Amino acid sequence: MPPAAPSQPLTVLVTGASSGIGRATVHLLAGRGARLVLLARGRAALEDTAAEAREAGAAEVVVCPADVLDEDALRTAVDGSVARFGRLDAVVHSAQVVAYGRIEDVPKEVYERVVDTSLHGTANLARVVLPVFRRQGAGHLVIVSSLLASVATPFMGSYIAAKWGQLGLIRVLQQETRDVADVHVSAVAPGGVNTPIYAQAGSYIGIKGRPPIPIYSPQRVARSVVARLEHPRRLVQSGFANPVVILGFRLFPAVYDALVGPLLRVFALADDHRTSATEGNVFRSVPEGNATEGRWHGL
């Protein structure tokens, strides 16, 4: 873990802090007494998360409503954190949006926003954070990736393009920070996780998504994220089924492609959650939909 000043708690900025894995990570870090800077698009859900963090034992919590596509807002949040606390030990990046639909059916602006949030949002954060880490001589950027950064499924083309691109960018960042021994970039790739992202997603297939089995709890993934602060890793698959799925995708592509569509319809779409075409939270925060967990049961 990046060294904090003697007797000082770690200072960690978390993006996507108002929901899902980001919110679960905030809870875990708060329980360890960290100083937290919470970033997401909507203030209301961030304030709720901040209250939970204070109750869980966070040394201090700062709320910074911002979109990861706004580099100036990111810089303001990072510079403000350093000015307030003297340093920034780590950044956990979990902000992401999703849209379901065939490539031909998802509106261009929705498709591009999903890709931009993941790919350009990560680049924006790196441009702002890594110079701070270099000046300090230490720091850790942990990025929440996805199993879908390594495989493909129908109806999730925008998210898969986003995550494949993001994973390539992560590898570049890892290569470009090798010159500073105590600056690290790690990635954690979960499979299906019981978070609200599925219900919050845009959809152009008449139905909402659901996490595919096996379904993991956001707390389980958060533990893997926080563990990277102690034990940096290039890429950790957070899910015991992930390596099997990736192996099938790579070694048996014809079989994989024949099975993935039918399996997705059975195990990754919510038949009881029909919907008209919707952009979901792709362009703006939907506070009432934010929470740590979704409506499923996670391991």
Side-chain angles (χ1 to χ4, degrees), residues 261-293:
L263 289 174
L264 182 140
R265 288 180 176 89
V266 173
F267 295 113
L269 297 178
D271 285 331
D272 62 341
H273 201 163
R274 298 283 168 176
T275 182
S276 56
T278 174
E279 65 185 33
N281 72 343
V282 169
F283 292 100
R284 59 193 58 83
S285 175
V286 181
E288 62 272 18
N290 288 331
T292 305
E293 298 183 79

Side-chain angles (χ1 to χ4, degrees), residues 35-50:
R35 301 183 297 199
L36 297 168
V37 181
L38 310 185
L39 192 148
R41 294 175 298 178
R43 178 176 289 276
L46 276 180
E47 293 289 0
D48 291 342
T49 307

Side-chain angles (χ1 to χ4, degrees), residues 119-294:
L119 186 55
H120 298 306
T122 301
N124 288 343
L125 191 64
R127 274 192 292 269
V128 170
V129 167
L130 292 181
V132 172
F133 288 171
R134 286 182 181 278
R135 289 195 296 270
Q136 296 174 166
H140 201 146
L141 173 60
V142 184
I143 300 168
V144 179
S145 179
S146 172
L147 169 61
L148 293 182
S150 300
V151 303
T153 73
F155 307 128
M156 298 193 72
S158 57
Y159 187 75
I160 288 163
K163 285 301 182 181
W164 279 60
Q166 185 191 54
L167 186 57
L169 177 60
I170 289 168
R171 290 299 302 273
V172 172
L173 293 174
Q174 291 166 343
Q175 294 164 353
E176 291 179 348
T177 53
R178 287 175 59 86
D179 59 315
V180 187
D182 288 329
V183 172
H184 304 284
V185 179
S186 295
V188 174
V193 185
N194 179 31
T195 76
I197 194 169
Y198 306 93
Q200 293 266 61
S203 180
Y204 299 87
I205 56 175
I207 194 171
K208 289 286 189 177
R210 55 161 289 173
I213 59 172
I215 303 170
Y216 302 99
S217 71
Q219 293 81 10
R220 181 186 182 118
V221 181
R223 289 194 294 271
S224 183
V225 168
V226 173
R228 303 288 68 78
L229 301 181
E230 292 283 359
H231 305 288
R233 293 275 298 277
R234 181 178 293 109
L235 174 64
V236 172
Q237 295 293 336
S238 182
F240 60 81
N242 288 21
V244 176
V245 176
I246 294 169
L247 191 65
F249 177 78
R250 292 176 178 172
L251 296 184
F252 308 104
V255 175
Y256 179 95
D257 287 353
L259 293 177
V260 66
L263 289 174
L264 182 140
R265 288 180 176 89
V266 173
F267 295 113
L269 297 178
D271 285 331
D272 62 341
H273 201 163
R274 298 283 168 176
T275 182
S276 56
T278 174
E279 65 185 33
N281 72 343
V282 169
F283 292 100
R284 59 193 58 83
S285 175
V286 181
E288 62 272 18
N290 288 331
T292 305
E293 298 183 79

